[in-house]
Amino acid sequence: MEIVAFGVQADEKPLIERAFRDHHEVRSLDVFLNDDTAPIAAGHEIVCTSVNCDLGAPVLRALAAGGTRMVAQRSTGFNNIDLDVAADLGLTVARVSYYSPYSVAEFAWTLAMAVNRRIVRASTRTRDFDFRLDGLMGRDLHGRTAGVLGTGKIGEAFSRIAHGFGMKLLGWDVAENPACMQLGMKYVPKERLLAESDLISLHVPLMPETSRLIDAAALKTMKDDAILVNSSRGGLIDTAALVAELREGRFTGVGLDVYEAEAGLFFLDKSLQAIEDDTLARLVTFPNVLVTSHQAYYTQDAVGQIVDTTVRNVLDYTAGRRSENVLVPRS
């Protein structure tokens, strides 16, 4: 059986092809699945997708009409998939429910440190042999407060790093994590966490309940000199409201690895094109903002685990087995 994989990065391609080698042929494509590219999947029973692929109702119907019976998503997030339509069409959908939490947690901390210590600006200056320190002053994070929104595996890993730096910990989640509490974390309402934290890091999934969790009101609650980091999902932050606050000179730094309208932009080379997204264009002009292209998960360890789990999901499907990774079971 030949599997078609969409949205495959250059570094990811050999890992995918090596993992599937003894099981199925795989056709790796760098294009993302959407209305225009869905016809490519015709005749393929299994389609492998990434989080920036479009798996809304029209695309799913096109896949089903072309003979696709399974979607194997190479990510934990699945907000890009219309699961109800997939179930109606009889499509099996599986995801990667777990991979290295350290990849994302370490990158989130990297963003926090980079904006705090003005690393990008300093690097740009020294490339021009400008060795002044003006405007590069940061703050010790030791003794300050880290607020962690979402204390699952990634949030816990981030909290351990913050604890290692000697920070006080505030947490917010639907369920308290005993491991975080052992680090001294105190669970508080979201409003208090935002008001008291010097560093705020988001580690919650994107669901209707968490969409724009950090809205205009939440941003107003935060300290003027706070650091905000989002390495989870772009839709957690109202970006237009964030830009408005940044224009007022607020926040020491903002580190974003995700953006709410990143589909069609992230993972692609747009360097020779005019960016029509005015919000993103304005966002990247702020000197205290660092935007990266959804790369927090992108380590050899994490991607290797994602690929291995995807292979297992495909083998489970072909063998008629069901695992915890299945979002829509085989009909």
Side-chain angles (χ1 to χ4, degrees):
M1 181 189 304
E2 183 183 69
I3 299 167
V4 60
F6 289 90
V8 177
Q9 303 300 309
D11 296 332
E12 187 184 15
K13 182 176 179 180
L15 296 177
I16 290 177
E17 294 179 347
R18 187 181 309 120
F20 274 106
R21 182 178 300 156
D22 296 330
H23 308 288
H24 300 287
E25 294 181 15
V26 61
R27 181 184 176 193
S28 297
L29 305 177
D30 59 0
V31 298
F32 292 98
L33 178 62
N34 53 38
D35 287 325
D36 294 329
T37 60
I40 299 174
H44 293 86
E45 182 177 350
I46 300 174
V47 169
C48 187
T49 59
S50 68
V51 72
N52 272 4
C53 289
D54 176 3
L55 287 148
V59 173
L60 290 174
R61 292 192 182 100
L63 292 179
T68 296
R69 306 306 303 162
M70 185 210 184
V71 173
Q73 174 107 326
R74 303 189 310 278
S75 72
T76 299
F78 53 90
N79 53 286
N80 61 320
I81 307 174
D82 191 325
L83 297 181
D84 292 333
V85 172
D88 291 341
L89 293 170
L91 294 172
T92 298
V93 180
R95 63 159 179 166
V96 177
S97 57
Y98 174 86
Y99 61 85
S100 168
Y102 309 107
S103 59
V104 178
E106 291 173 4
F107 193 83
W109 192 260
T110 300
L111 287 176
M113 293 300 294
V115 296
N116 179 39
R117 301 306 301 268
R118 314 289 196 263
I119 298 300
V120 174
R121 182 187 294 183
S123 176
T124 301
R125 281 188 184 179
T126 55
R127 283 178 178 271
D128 292 331
F129 296 97
D130 179 352
F131 299 103
R132 292 172 300 161
L133 299 183
D134 298 346
L136 301 183
M137 184 175 288
R139 296 182 297 171
D140 289 0
L141 293 179
H142 178 88
R144 287 188 161 84
T145 300
V148 185
L149 292 160
T151 56
K153 292 182 176 65
I154 297 174
E156 178 188 331
F158 182 89
S159 299
R160 291 187 181 280
I161 298 172
H163 177 71
F165 270 70
M167 299 192 75
K168 303 170 187 175
L169 296 173
L170 295 180
W172 177 85
D173 207 327
V174 293
E176 296 179 353
N177 185 335
C180 291
M181 297 176 71
Q182 289 179 358
L183 298 173
M185 175 176 284
K186 183 176 182 179
Y187 281 86
V188 297
K190 183 186 74 171
E191 293 72 19
R192 179 179 169 186
L193 182 150
L194 296 175
E196 297 183 9
S197 297
D198 302 290
L199 165 61
I200 297 165
S201 191
L202 308 183
H203 301 288
V204 298
L206 180 59
M207 303 180 294
E209 305 80 45
T210 60
S211 178
R212 298 198 167 180
L213 183 70
I214 305 299
D215 57 10
L219 290 164
K220 292 289 187 185
T221 305
M222 293 168 53
K223 294 181 178 181
D224 287 344
D225 60 354
I227 294 171
L228 175 63
V229 173
N230 186 12
S231 58
S232 185
R233 288 292 181 266
L236 298 175
I237 296 178
D238 182 338
T239 315
L242 175 60
V243 168
E245 295 301 311
L246 288 165
R247 292 184 62 172
E248 296 295 322
R250 299 189 66 218
F251 308 136
T252 289
V254 175
L256 304 175
D257 185 51
V258 287
Y259 174 60
E260 59 181 331
E262 68 183 54
L265 290 172
F266 282 23
F267 304 140
L268 300 172
D269 182 2
K270 298 290 185 177
S271 60
L272 299 179
Q273 301 177 29
I275 298 299
E276 299 178 357
D277 188 325
D278 292 338
T279 302
L280 179 61
R282 183 69 180 92
L283 187 65
V284 299
T285 64
F286 291 104
N288 58 334
V289 174
L290 175 57
V291 178
T292 53
S293 53
H294 206 141
Q295 69 182 81
Y297 77 99
Y298 207 52
T299 67
Q300 293 179 355
D301 309 83
V303 174
Q305 291 169 0
I306 289 169
V307 170
D308 289 344
T309 300
T310 301
V311 171
R312 288 197 300 272
N313 289 341
V314 169
L315 295 180
D316 285 343
Y317 164 80
T318 56
R321 297 187 297 263
R322 180 176 176 179
S323 73
E324 71 280 0
N325 296 322
V326 175
L327 297 169
V328 179
R330 187 171 187 172
S331 59

